[in-house]
Amino acid sequence: MLLLRTRDFDLKKWTQNELTENERHQISVDVQRAFVQFYKKDAIDYERKRSSLEYMITQTCSRFPQLHYYQGFHDICTVFLNVVGMEKGLQCVVGASLFWLRDFMEPRLEQTMQHLDIVMELVERANKRLGAHLKRIPDFQPIFCLSWIITWFSHNLDDLDTVYRCFDCILSTDPLFPVYMAASIVLEASSAILSLDSDLSSVHGYLSTMDLNDIDMEHILSQSLDLRDRFPYHTLKTSLEERSCVPRFKGHFLYSLDLEKEMDFNLLPLTIQTKQQSLTLLFSVYSLTFALFYVINASF
């Protein structure tokens, strides 16, 4: 909970808005197929779990209407629900959505595709031979790792402990860490990729069918931390929009208590467009940061 810099969110402070029919339909469809990879043999109350999951998703997206549901968001919500239950899970989902996932929750895909561009840049800088091999492929884009990044690997891994480990590392670093993980997996497969012809069907076919359950994810996490140290975000040529959660992450909570000065709320796609609601958000975030500061100091 502390890693998400959250507390008991009073969602009543934000007006609940109606979701579109398309959003409701997609959420319903995704919820119905949730939990399958984690509970293939367990006798659990599916309906209760799925009802809780749908509640968490709809509450988040309806209270913050500029955060748009995307396929795969339910996978992340599922993990929080499993770990801390519905009430605390909702708090975690709200915190994750506002400050880790919001680039993927925009109505257009530009920010999401820029995350994929960073994967390619990291691969090219870390392994020039592999980067050159991939650049020779016309129209090559790392679409194969989209589900890895936007679900924090929870959609592609079957072992819950491994999923929890990935979440721990992501929440202990920053919103771009899943991108470093994706690049590390591609780099780890460099020998196999280089043995393939430089054509889209061969390389993309290999990468898109790669089973992450066969990969030593602990090693990948270690490699990702090293890659992040070698090529931190501020040194990359690929830059995200100013409103992105990545370049503004430290200014939100990590180092500053002067949030009114550090945060430009006009850049955050999470508020209703009224001055009163912006002030409500400001005071809520300021109170949250003060509470976190008090807890940390009280522990010493």
Side-chain angles (χ1 to χ4, degrees), residues 92-232:
C92 291
V93 168
V94 170
S97 300
L98 298 181
F99 303 108
W100 267 266
L101 299 168
R102 71 170 186 265
D103 287 4
F104 312 132
M105 304 184 77
E106 294 194 354
R108 293 180 296 274
L109 290 174
E110 284 86 348
Q111 290 270 44
T112 301
M113 297 307 294
Q114 286 179 334
H115 282 252
L116 298 184
D117 291 339
I118 294 177
V119 173
M120 286 302 299
E121 179 179 345
L122 290 170
V123 170
E124 291 169 10
R125 293 182 66 175
N127 188 325
K128 296 188 183 302
R129 184 185 173 199
L130 177 60
H133 185 71
L134 295 176
K135 287 185 74 172
R136 284 195 294 269
I137 303 173
D139 302 320
F140 180 80
Q141 285 186 310
I143 301 297
F144 59 86
C145 67
L146 179 61
S147 66
W148 305 353
I149 294 170
I150 67 175
T151 70
W152 290 359
F153 296 84
S154 60
H155 181 75
N156 304 89
L157 293 170
D158 295 337
D159 181 64
L160 271 174
D161 288 337
T162 305
V163 172
Y164 297 158
R165 178 67 172 143
C166 291
F167 272 52
D168 284 344
C169 289
I170 293 167
L171 293 173
S172 299
T173 50
D174 59 66
L176 199 61
F177 194 67
V179 170
Y180 286 97
M181 292 174 64
S184 295
I185 292 173
V186 176
L187 290 166
E188 192 68 16
S190 60
S191 296
I193 298 171
L194 289 169
S195 69
L196 301 171
D197 294 333
S198 291
D199 65 80
L200 186 61
S201 60
S202 297
V203 176
H204 189 273
Y206 171 78
L207 289 168
S208 62
T209 57
M210 185 186 301
D211 188 353
L212 299 191
N213 295 290
D214 297 331
I215 297 176
D216 182 354
M217 291 303 294
E218 195 64 39
H219 174 69
I220 292 298
L221 291 171
S222 176
Q223 293 297 102
S224 303
L225 289 169
D226 179 65
L227 193 65
R228 180 172 174 261
D229 289 340
R230 290 168 59 197
F231 308 110

Side-chain angles (χ1 to χ4, degrees), residues 9-106:
F9 281 98
D10 183 5
L11 292 180
K12 294 180 181 178
K13 292 181 179 180
W14 286 275
T15 304
Q16 186 167 12
N17 298 269
E18 285 293 326
L19 299 177
T20 66
E21 184 177 344
N22 287 339
E23 284 177 313
R24 288 193 175 279
H25 172 73
Q26 190 60 61
I27 291 170
S28 176
V29 169
D30 289 346
V31 166
Q32 287 304 311
R33 59 189 177 207
F35 303 104
V36 174
Q37 76 269 38
F38 295 145
Y39 300 105
K40 293 178 180 177
K41 297 180 181 179
D42 295 41
I44 65 169
D45 185 354
Y46 281 105
E47 290 306 314
R48 179 179 58 83
K49 282 274 191 180
R50 287 169 174 164
S51 176
S52 297
L53 178 62
E54 186 165 1
Y55 175 80
M56 290 165 59
I57 295 171
T58 55
Q59 283 294 306
T60 301
C61 294
S62 64
R63 299 290 182 179
F64 303 95
Q66 291 184 344
L67 297 180
H68 299 268
Y69 177 78
Y70 65 86
Q71 284 186 277
F73 182 67
H74 72 288
D75 290 301
I76 290 180
C77 296
T78 297
V79 175
F80 286 124
L81 176 60
N82 287 337
V83 176
V84 295
M86 186 181 72
E87 292 185 6
K88 291 182 179 179
L90 176 57
Q91 299 167 29
C92 291
V93 168
V94 170
S97 300
L98 298 181
F99 303 108
W100 267 266
L101 299 168
R102 71 170 186 265
D103 287 4
F104 312 132
M105 304 184 77
E106 294 194 354

Side-chain angles (χ1 to χ4, degrees), residues 259-272:
L259 294 182
E260 186 171 7
K261 182 178 180 180
E262 290 290 330
M263 296 179 69
D264 180 359
F265 285 91
N266 292 323
L267 292 174
L268 296 181
L270 52 91
T271 59
I272 316 297

